[in-house]
């Protein structure tokens, strides 16, 4: 019984009539179209800036960093690493889990000195 009364109401709800747009609504739709065109121009600008300014700047800074790193490595090759064991260095409450318990997971023998045992 209830479903029989509900069916015509559901059909009326589902039908779509031609929308009536007021003058204020038309102005708002026109303003949205203008805004969409401005957004496309702005997006185009940022895409061009990314490709023609951002990526070349990134490439140049990468080359600069590589050249500075290379120069620094050449400088370090001439320096002899000398370990000076001060009493406050390498204090261990417990042994580390790698090697003999004196090296960390990120140990680099060229840079990190290990105390004599």
């Amino acid at each position: 019984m209830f479903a029989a009364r509900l069916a015509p109401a559901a059909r009326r709800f589902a039908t779509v009539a031609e929308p009536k747009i007021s003058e204020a609504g038309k102005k708002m739709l026109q303003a949205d179209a203008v805004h969409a065109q401005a957004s496309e121009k702005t997006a185009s600008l940022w895409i061009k800036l990314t490709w023609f300014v951002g990526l070349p700047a990134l490439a140049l800074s990468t080359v600069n960093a590589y050249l500075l790193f290379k120069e620094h490595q050449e400088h370090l090759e001439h320096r002899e690493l000398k370990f000076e064991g001060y009493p406050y260095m390498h204090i261990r409450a417990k042994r580390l889990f790698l090697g003999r318990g004196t090296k960390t997971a990120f140990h680099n023998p060229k840079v990190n000195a290990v105390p004599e045992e």
Side-chain angles (χ1 to χ4, degrees):
M1 185 81 154
F2 178 71
R5 281 193 226 160
L6 188 59
R11 270 195 305 269
R12 280 193 310 270
F13 182 71
T15 58
V16 178
E18 188 65 31
K20 296 178 183 174
I21 302 174
S22 65
E23 288 299 317
K26 288 179 184 176
K27 287 181 182 178
M28 191 167 64
L29 288 174
Q30 188 178 17
D32 283 346
V34 170
H35 181 71
Q37 289 174 351
S39 296
E40 288 176 14
K41 289 179 183 177
T42 303
S44 174
L45 170 73
W46 281 106
I47 289 170
K48 289 175 186 173
L49 281 174
T50 299
W51 284 104
F52 299 118
V53 176
L55 292 179
L58 181 65
L60 288 174
S61 62
T62 302
V63 169
N64 183 36
Y66 173 74
L67 294 176
L68 288 173
F69 174 75
K70 189 174 162 185
E71 179 184 333
H72 182 66
Q73 289 302 105
E74 289 172 359
H75 172 73
L76 287 179
E77 286 177 1
H78 303 296
R79 187 182 77 169
E80 184 177 325
L81 196 71
K82 187 170 64 173
F83 177 73
E84 295 192 23
Y86 296 108
Y88 57 84
M89 293 175 66
H90 301 287
I91 298 173
R92 306 275 191 254
K94 62 180 182 176
R95 296 175 62 84
L96 296 172
F97 60 92
L98 290 175
R100 295 185 211 132
T102 57
K103 298 178 184 175
T104 65
F106 305 103
H107 181 76
N108 182 356
K110 290 182 181 177
V111 179
N112 304 115
V114 178
E116 299 295 327
E117 292 186 22

